Amino acid sequence: MILLKGFFRKKKTKLFITIFVILFVVIFLLNNFRDYSKKKYEDLKYNSTEFIIISENNHEIILEKDSGIKSYKTAIGFASGKDSDIIYTPSKDNIEESEKLVDESKMEWEILENFGMIPAFSASSCSTNLKESEVALSLYHDSYKEEFRSEYIGKTINFNFNNQELSLHLTQFLDASPFNYICISDELYNKLLPENQKFLYNLKLNSYDDIENISIRLKDLEDSNHFEIIKLSNDMEFANNEKIFENIIILLNIVYIISLVIFFIIVVFVIKDLATDEEKDIILLKKIGFNNTQNLKVYSLKLFTLNTISFTISIILISIISFVLKKLFSINLGLIDLKLFILLALLISLIELIFNNIHIKK
């Protein structure tokens, strides 16, 4: 006990504790911030992406059982019908002349077409109510011809489904989406579903990477020419800056690795200096009758206490910093990464063990 008190009264011991604490706090915070940034990036990427499957076959039974899928909604494939009051087909022979003849308030059919079809979801999957003769539109972020939308309500739109003409009254516009689609009544949807020849599935996955596993499973079931998997961004700001986010994550990883290398080098020098400083005490203990085994026990106890104090102070400081960041900036860094803690503890113990044997056997 007296030997421990003497050890911790030394200015160098206090300096070593300070250095260890700073190193631990920096490494743990860097690791936590890196993990936090990666998670935020993955969450943002996941929440900013719509996952679409286009297929000629009905895969609802398979998708229902797939563990990677939280939920999904199925669209059947409509095609453009006869021109109506608000939609027209431009003349391919004379585009300029066609544009002169058509009221500028009208939409072109291609506005509604996506992936070689006009996706038609059921009203219930669109969280709305529609009668069998009604239709609702959801248009892309650009809000095409928004100034004319009030004029569109109540007008008839003619669609084609398997060579059947369907005339539906437009009753509402839904929130903007990353792709254009329509919603029809549940009654009409269920009536047409058995005859449908092209499906669009809008998936909600457990994680972003699950789409790759789903793709592999579907490829095992049918010719890849009969289906396609598409990722669409529903956040244009994120889509435009995704490369920047990826570079930030790469930069954080590089900084973290460099910090670990620097940590290792500093730890080696600090422990070497500590062992050299303790060599005088070891010689003194040998003179009063301590053998190498006893000296090793005393020195190991000092190092164990030193490590325990350093880690304890570090954990307290990290907890305080994390709490402040969460309260002031809503940044939840978490506490200590247990795997990293064990790795650093083993690394330091190994370095200390090496220098222990070198200096005690002198």
Side-chain angles (χ1 to χ4, degrees):
M1 195 67 180
I2 295 173
L3 293 173
L4 277 178
K5 284 183 179 179
F7 176 68
F8 285 102
R9 284 198 188 104
K10 293 179 181 179
K11 289 184 179 179
K12 266 202 171 182
T13 305
K14 294 174 183 177
L15 177 62
F16 292 148
I17 290 174
T18 304
I19 293 171
F20 276 136
V21 168
I22 292 172
L23 288 173
F24 292 150
V25 169
V26 169
I27 289 296
F28 280 120
L29 286 179
L30 265 176
N31 179 68
N32 288 3
F33 185 70
R34 181 187 65 129
D35 290 344
Y36 170 81
S37 300
K38 284 170 68 177
K39 187 178 186 307
K40 289 300 270 187
Y41 169 69
E42 291 298 330
D43 288 345
L44 190 58
K45 184 168 69 169
Y46 170 76
N47 293 323
S48 302
T49 306
E50 294 283 344
F51 301 95
I52 305 294
I53 292 179
I54 310 295
S55 177
E56 295 179 4
N57 298 313
N58 190 334
H59 290 304
E60 286 193 341
I61 295 176
I62 298 167
L63 298 178
E64 192 74 40
K65 295 178 180 178
D66 199 299
S67 60
I69 299 175
K70 276 186 179 179
S71 61
Y72 68 92
K73 56 182 184 179
T74 307
I76 57 178
F78 276 24
S80 57
K82 296 177 181 177
D83 290 353
S84 62
D85 294 337
I86 61 174
I87 302 181
Y88 76 101
T89 304
S91 170
K92 293 181 180 178
D93 298 328
N94 192 335
I95 296 175
E96 290 184 4
E97 187 64 28
S98 175
E99 289 176 348
K100 289 177 185 177
L101 295 173
V102 177
D103 189 332
E104 66 173 2
S105 67
K106 288 191 175 185
M107 293 186 291
E108 296 178 23
W109 270 114
E110 65 181 27
I111 295 300
L112 292 180
E113 293 174 351
N114 282 281
F115 324 113
M117 63 188 288
I118 300 173
F121 292 99
S122 65
S124 56
S125 68
C126 298
S127 301
T128 189
N129 292 310
L130 295 169
K131 295 178 182 177
E132 191 164 343
S133 61
E134 295 177 340
V135 65
L137 297 185
S138 176
L139 298 180
Y140 184 60
H141 296 292
D142 292 340
S143 301
Y144 183 80
K145 295 190 183 295
E146 189 169 357
E147 66 271 27
F148 299 111
R149 288 189 178 187
S150 60
E151 299 177 22
Y152 295 164
I153 300 298
K155 297 293 178 69
T156 299
I157 304 178
N158 301 310
F159 296 97
N160 187 290
F161 178 81
N162 291 352
N163 296 321
Q164 302 174 47
E165 287 293 328
L166 299 171
S167 296
L168 302 176
H169 302 295
L170 178 62
T171 59
Q172 59 182 295
F173 282 92
L174 304 173
D175 291 339
S177 64
F179 65 98
N180 300 327
Y181 62 85
I182 66 173
C183 294
I184 58 177
S185 69
D186 290 357
E187 293 80 8
L188 181 59
Y189 177 88
N190 292 328
K191 186 189 295 183
L192 300 177
L193 182 61
E195 304 171 34
N196 188 50
Q197 296 177 0
K198 192 165 188 178
F199 296 85
L200 180 148
Y201 302 98
N202 190 189
L203 309 179
K204 190 71 176 175
L205 308 181
N206 290 317
S207 74
Y208 186 91
D209 295 330
D210 281 331
I211 194 65
E212 304 302 331
N213 296 326
I214 293 167
S215 174
I216 292 169
R217 286 193 283 272
L218 286 178
K219 283 178 180 177
D220 291 338
L221 293 171
E222 64 172 304
D223 190 331
S224 59
N225 292 326
H226 293 162
F227 86 99
E228 183 180 5
I229 291 182
I230 300 166
K231 299 174 188 176
L232 296 175
S233 176
N234 58 27
D235 185 334
M236 297 311 296
E237 185 177 351
F238 174 78
N240 293 333
N241 296 291
E242 185 173 3
K243 196 66 183 174
I244 295 174
F245 290 127
E246 289 178 354
N247 289 336
I248 290 172
I249 298 299
I250 292 170
L251 180 62
L252 284 172
N253 285 330
I254 293 171
V255 170
Y256 177 67
I257 292 169
I258 292 172
S259 299
L260 282 176
V261 173
I262 294 171
F263 172 87
F264 176 77
I265 294 170
I266 294 174
V267 164
V268 169
F269 278 102
V270 168
I271 293 174
K272 180 178 180 296
D273 196 20
L274 181 64
T276 303
D277 192 60
E278 280 295 296
E279 197 172 325
K280 296 175 185 177
D281 290 348
I282 292 170
I283 294 170
L284 182 61
L285 289 173
K286 282 183 178 180
K287 287 181 179 180
I288 61 174
F290 278 66
N291 58 36
N292 284 344
T293 303
Q294 290 173 316
N295 278 327
L296 182 60
K297 286 180 181 179
V298 171
Y299 190 47
S300 297
L301 179 61
K302 289 179 181 179
L303 293 176
F304 175 78
T305 309
L306 177 69
N307 294 342
T308 302
I309 292 173
S310 300
F311 274 117
T312 302
I313 295 173
S314 301
I315 291 170
I316 292 170
L317 285 175
I318 291 167
S319 301
I320 293 170
I321 293 170
S322 296
F323 177 79
V324 170
L325 288 173
K326 187 176 181 180
K327 284 294 180 182
L328 296 182
F329 306 104
S330 299
I331 298 175
N332 187 11
L333 293 184
L335 297 176
I336 297 295
D337 185 327
L338 186 58
K339 289 181 180 177
L340 180 62
F341 178 85
I342 294 171
L343 176 64
L344 293 181
L346 290 174
L347 177 65
I348 291 170
S349 298
L350 179 62
I351 297 170
E352 288 172 346
L353 182 63
I354 293 170
F355 283 105
N356 277 357
N357 289 328
I358 292 173
H359 286 274
I360 288 172
K361 289 178 180 178
K362 281 186 177 180

